[in-house]
């Protein structure tokens, strides 16, 4: 379904808004979903919004996004560890915009490396939940091309 955007969230993001608000803000994952739904509605796009604490399940979610407009992916800690997610993105040929709530480059060194970035169309970090909306805007215009 080319007019669908998949927003996929990785481990612990189900806890958003309950702890570490100084890092991740006060918004809950339900708030993120509402913001994504509003952005998709503005663009006439359908939304599939999912979260998993399991790497393999996220691989399955990526495979299930085949044929969509693209994916907004906050892989959370798997960003920094997962060859499997990077392989899945390459295998399915999806347009992926990598999103992080926090500015990972202002944090610990282990967060500076991403296995996702080399296979992503673009990366947004440090803008809180606005990053998800901006990623959807990018996917909605010019087929996800950011130039
Ligand atoms: O900034 C982001 O969005 C991250 O992807 C969040 C991940 C972190 O491992 C990445 O380096 C950057 C962590 C998500 C954990 O979410 C929590 C939510 C509430 C309380 C504690 C953790």
């Amino acid at each position: 379904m080319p007019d669908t955007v998949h927003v996929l969230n990785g481990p612990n993001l189900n806890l958003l808004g309950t702890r570490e608000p100084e890092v991740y803000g006060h918004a809950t994952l339900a708030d993120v979903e509402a913001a994504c739904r509003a952005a998709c509605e503005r663009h006439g796009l359908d939304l599939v919004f999912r979260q998993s604490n399991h790497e393999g399940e996220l691989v399955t979610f990526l495979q299930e996004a085949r044929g969509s407009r693209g994916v907004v992916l906050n892989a959370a800690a798997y960003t920094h560890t997962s060859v499997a997610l990077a392989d899945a993105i390459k295998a399915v040929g999806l347009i992926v915009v990598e999103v992080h709530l926090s500015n990972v480059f202002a944090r610990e060194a282990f967060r500076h490396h991403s296995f996702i970035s080399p296979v992503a169309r673009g990366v947004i970090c440090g803008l809180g939940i606005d990053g998800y909306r901006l990623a959807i805007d990018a996917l909605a215009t010019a087929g996800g091309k950011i130039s």
Side-chain angles (χ1 to χ4, degrees), residues 18-43:
T18 65
R19 301 180 58 187
E20 298 188 58
E22 67 287 357
V23 182
Y24 299 117
H26 290 280
T28 64
L29 197 61
D31 295 329
V32 176
E33 179 170 3
C36 290
R37 202 161 292 287
C40 282
E41 274 170 17
R42 275 197 301 278
H43 293 294

Side-chain angles (χ1 to χ4, degrees), residues 44-124:
L45 294 166
D46 290 330
L47 172 70
V48 174
F49 189 94
R50 300 171 110 175
Q51 186 274 334
S52 178
N53 293 324
H54 303 279
E55 186 177 17
E57 194 166 35
L58 289 163
V59 169
T60 300
F61 289 172
L62 284 164
Q63 292 180 3
E64 288 175 355
R66 265 180 291 201
S68 70
R69 176 73 65 106
V71 174
V72 177
L73 176 62
N74 184 348
Y78 289 140
T79 303
H80 316 298
T81 63
S82 182
V83 175
L85 290 179
D87 282 351
I89 292 165
K90 269 194 280 191
V92 296
L94 284 166
I95 296 172
V96 170
V97 180
E98 177 183 354
V99 167
H100 300 285
L101 295 156
S102 64
N103 179 355
V104 288
F105 299 103
R107 302 182 64 193
E108 304 96 319
F110 71 84
R111 296 186 203 276
H112 299 179
H113 178 263
S114 166
F115 282 96
I116 309 300
S117 299
V119 292
R121 179 65 61 90
V123 182
I124 298 170

